[in-house]
Amino acid sequence: MITLYTFGPFFGCPDASPFVMKGEMLLKLAGLPYQTNTRGFTRAPKGKLPYIRDGDEIIADSTLIRLHIEKKYGFDFDAALSPRDRGLAWSVEKMMEDHLYWVMVYWRWLIDANFDRGPRHFFDRAPAILRPLICTMVRRKVRGNLHAHGMGRHNDDEKNRMADRCIDALSQVLGSNRYLMGDHLCGADATAFAFIAAGLPDIFESPMQKKLASTANLVAYRDRMMAEFFPGFGA
Ligand SMILES: N[C@@H](CCC(=O)N[C@@H](CS)C(=O)NCC(=O)O)C(=O)O
């Protein structure tokens, strides 16, 4: 059976990480049996989660997990989509992963109050004497990642305007569809669900959270997807 390495549920979500939620959704969409394991981070081949173990193979990165499922199991996540919609779905997914994600990282990790309510608790099991040092080091690394990506170089107003356009674009693509691209699920539903779910918890106070929470079709989509795929979690 496939093992998916995860952080575990946090903030009312099936996982703390949108990429892990995406990975789990991909396994669900493909109908593959899997188990989760929250103890794999220190052995993560690329230093990040998710990764999976599938027999003798280890595949790290949610997109590579998708490609692995497509190749090994012959599963086409986008079977219901036209060629144009395949392209659109992939683009929307990458907009969330490579753009919106970094705004989310900023609000979660670099704003003290949000960090205290959220990511600080990832380290609750570390020895008390080391916890402040670990938090400082990890936040420094996150700040460096944000700077290297480029999103971290923008002021709040600039980040907010960029995030708003992403959220509007996502909402426009979803429209009144049941799933992201229409009546049928596709691969990008894994990502759309994961990133909307990760952006909505109101313990992370931010303009981005407020914008998401006031975008009715995205909230309703999160609720529908949560009920269908993670019924234990509620909205
Ligand atoms: N491109 C990767 C991104 C995964 C990723 O950024 N994971 C984050 C959590 S959201 C992580 O594990 N970060 C740990 C670290 O950078 O130390 C994917 O699609 O899986």
Side-chain angles (χ1 to χ4, degrees), residues 11-89:
F11 329 130
C13 289
D15 199 87
S17 156
F19 289 102
V20 172
M21 285 193 274
K22 172 191 164 189
E24 185 160 3
M25 273 296 303
L26 289 170
L27 293 165
K28 286 177 186 283
L29 292 179
L32 295 172
Y34 67 93
Q35 60 189 3
T36 57
N37 183 321
T38 57
R39 305 182 76 84
F41 182 64
T42 52
R43 284 184 302 280
K46 295 179 184 171
K48 288 178 187 260
L49 296 183
Y51 65 97
I52 60 169
R53 177 182 290 281
D54 185 4
D56 293 338
E57 291 178 278
I58 290 193
I59 298 100
D61 186 286
S62 64
T63 299
L64 293 176
I65 292 170
R66 172 176 171 164
L67 300 185
H68 170 80
I69 293 170
E70 288 174 344
K71 190 166 175 209
K72 178 161 180 183
Y73 298 96
F75 186 80
D76 182 356
F77 288 93
D78 292 348
L81 302 188
S82 67
R84 185 176 184 279
D85 280 355
R86 283 176 184 260
L88 182 57

Side-chain angles (χ1 to χ4, degrees), residues 1-2 8 12 28 52 63 65 97 138 144 161 192 217 222 227:
M1 188 192 296
I2 294 174
K28 286 177 186 283
I52 60 169
T63 299
I65 292 170
E97 295 182 358
V138 175
R161 283 189 285 142
N217 69 337
R222 186 276 312 259

